[in-house]
Amino acid sequence: MPSREVYVAGPLGFSAPGRHYLDTILLPALQSAGFAPLNPWEDPDAAAMLKAADALAPGVERHRAFERANGAIGERNARLIRACTAVLAVLDGSDVDSGTASEIGYAAAYHRPVVGIRSDLRLAGDNEAAVVNLQVVYFIAESGGRIVASLEDALATLRAVVPERPS
């Protein structure tokens, strides 16, 4: 049975408004459309590791604790990308978030189609032919995905690139 798991890439977990949009609009929309979201922000182990590291006094042990947490978070996200069928990437902002850009490149290398949502009205590309950084545009196109301007268009594009489960 084909998977319908979609990794959600983007900086939404860094702010309260972003988390609100992620939790109340984006993730429920994916679920309603028949996809199983893989949300990198839902990792209680990572949150606990970061909190424990942050509680340490500045110094070598604190630095090592953050290194361990960072490695665990990066490894988990890479594993989720390898396990998914497609990636939904939030591209809003004055520039594409660097972590999101990395996840897009990683997904493209593993032949996972990437659908990017760019609802931001600001110009962020290298020229008028690139809505965002030209390398991000290239990797999304190379993956078999595309950049769209709305969540509704993103869901429609995901339906086109992710196979339906057999009945």
Side-chain angles (χ1 to χ4, degrees):
M1 180 180 301
S3 171
R4 303 259 305 161
E5 293 180 318
V6 174
Y7 181 89
V8 181
L12 296 175
F14 287 117
S15 70
R19 287 189 299 277
H20 178 76
Y21 177 78
L22 180 67
D23 294 339
T24 64
I25 296 172
L26 186 73
L27 296 175
L30 278 169
Q31 291 168 333
S32 292
F35 299 104
L38 299 178
N39 179 5
W41 296 101
E42 288 178 357
D43 185 358
D45 294 336
M49 290 177 77
L50 290 170
K51 184 176 180 178
D54 196 46
L56 296 171
V60 174
E61 287 307 312
R62 177 184 168 99
H63 185 84
R64 287 183 184 146
F66 275 120
E67 281 182 336
R68 287 190 297 276
N70 295 347
I73 293 166
E75 188 281 325
R76 178 180 180 270
N77 293 349
R79 185 172 21 88
L80 290 175
I81 292 169
R82 291 190 305 269
C84 76
T85 304
V87 171
L88 178 62
V90 177
L91 307 177
D92 289 338
S94 58
D95 195 16
V96 174
D97 171 70
S98 61
T100 304
S102 299
E103 291 167 323
I104 289 167
Y106 193 78
Y110 276 90
H111 308 287
R112 303 303 188 266
V114 179
V115 175
I117 301 174
R118 174 77 183 173
S119 64
D120 199 315
L121 301 175
R122 296 173 287 182
L123 299 175
D126 299 287
N127 55 54
E128 65 262 18
V131 67
V132 294
N133 176 282
L134 68 87
Q135 196 66 64
V136 171
V137 172
Y138 174 81
F139 281 131
I140 290 173
E142 180 70 13
S143 77
R146 63 180 244 233
I147 298 173
V148 298
S150 71
L151 179 56
E152 294 76 23
D153 288 344
L155 295 172
T157 304
L158 282 169
R159 285 186 201 99
V161 299
V162 177
E164 289 284 338
R165 290 180 186 248
S167 302

